[in-house]
Amino acid sequence: MSPSRDAQKPAASSSQFRLRAGIGNDLHRLVTGRKLILGGVRIPFEKGPVGHSDGDVLAHAVCDALLGAAALGDIGRHFPNTSARWKNAPSLLFLRRVRQLLAAAGCTIVNIDVTVGLERPKLASHIPRITRRVAVALGLKPDQVSVKAKSGEGLDAVGRGEAIRADAVALIQVRRP
Ligand code: MG
C-alpha cells in the first residue's frame, strides 16, 4: 500500500470507532471416510476431520477469532458440541450466526486472515472458492478475507497427515457508544 497524504491526519472515523483484534485456532483428527470441508467447500480427499459438526477447522478458527475480537466468548459457548442441534451442522451456519452476533454488538469486520495446516491434499486450487464462500457468509468482500495453506513438513500430527488445523486472526471495528 502506498503512503497517502492523509496518513498524517487522524482517520475521520477514529473517534467513532475503535479497533479490536481476535485470534482463533482449531485442530481436528483426520480419519478415512469423513468429508473434508474447508470454508464450506468440499475438498476431494480420502480423509476428513472427526467432529460433532462438519469439522470445518477453517470456519471454526474464524468464528473464534471474530468472537474473541468482540469479547463474545467462543464457539463452544455458542454452538456446544453436546447439543444435538449442531450434530453434523454445516459450519457456514456458524459463520453466519457469528456475523449476526457481531452486528448486534455494533461490530464491523475489517479483515480476516487464516492459515490452514494440512499435509495433503494441496489446497492452492481451492483457495479462491474457499475465500469467496467465507466472504459471502460473513457479508464481506473477497479482499477482506485471506486464506493460506501450509504443510507440516512431515512433523507433528499435521505433518504426519493425522490432523488438520487452522489459525485465524480477525480485526473488527466497534462503534463507540
Ligand atoms: Mg472444531
Side-chain angles (χ1 to χ4, degrees):
M1 246 177 262
S2 64
S4 107
R5 250 176 292 164
D6 291 335
Q8 316 291 324
K9 291 194 271 173
S13 60
S14 66
S15 59
Q16 297 157 333
F17 292 97
R18 60 205 158 92
L19 291 170
R20 296 176 58 109
I23 186 169
N25 68 64
D26 197 25
L27 179 73
H28 281 249
R29 186 184 299 277
L30 287 173
V31 294
T32 305
R34 286 273 300 183
K35 288 179 192 166
L36 176 57
I37 294 170
L38 285 170
V41 174
R42 173 84 191 270
I43 313 289
F45 190 49
E46 72 262 22
K47 285 181 175 183
V50 181
H52 184 70
S53 65
D54 60 6
D56 186 335
V57 287
L58 187 152
H60 297 178
V62 169
C63 283
D64 259 355
L66 288 168
L67 290 169
L72 286 173
D74 62 20
I75 194 168
R77 178 172 130 195
H78 295 280
F79 315 102
N81 63 9
T82 47
S83 164
R85 191 173 165 198
W86 309 118
K87 179 118 179 91
N88 295 319
S91 298
L92 281 189
L93 203 80
F94 299 169
L95 283 175
R96 286 196 284 266
R97 176 76 186 125
V98 165
R99 171 189 177 184
Q100 290 170 350
L101 289 167
L102 261 69
C107 302
T108 311
I109 301 166
V110 177
N111 76 300
I112 306 281
D113 188 18
V114 54
T115 301
V116 178
L118 182 63
E119 194 63 12
R120 277 190 317 126
K122 292 285 173 221
L123 292 182
S125 63
H126 303 286
I127 283 179
R129 246 184 101 208
I130 294 171
T131 304
R132 281 197 300 274
R133 261 293 180 61
V134 172
V136 167
L138 292 172
L140 302 175
K141 296 185 191 122
D143 70 358
Q144 289 174 282
V145 178
S146 157
V147 177
K148 313 185 296 301
K150 232 175 168 45
S151 80
E153 298 287 340
L155 300 166
D156 72 23
V158 170
R160 290 190 298 271
E162 297 166 5
I164 179 168
R165 70 170 289 143
D167 295 275
V169 169
L171 190 68
I172 64 170
Q173 277 187 330
V174 188
R175 216 176 298 125
R176 287 185 192 276

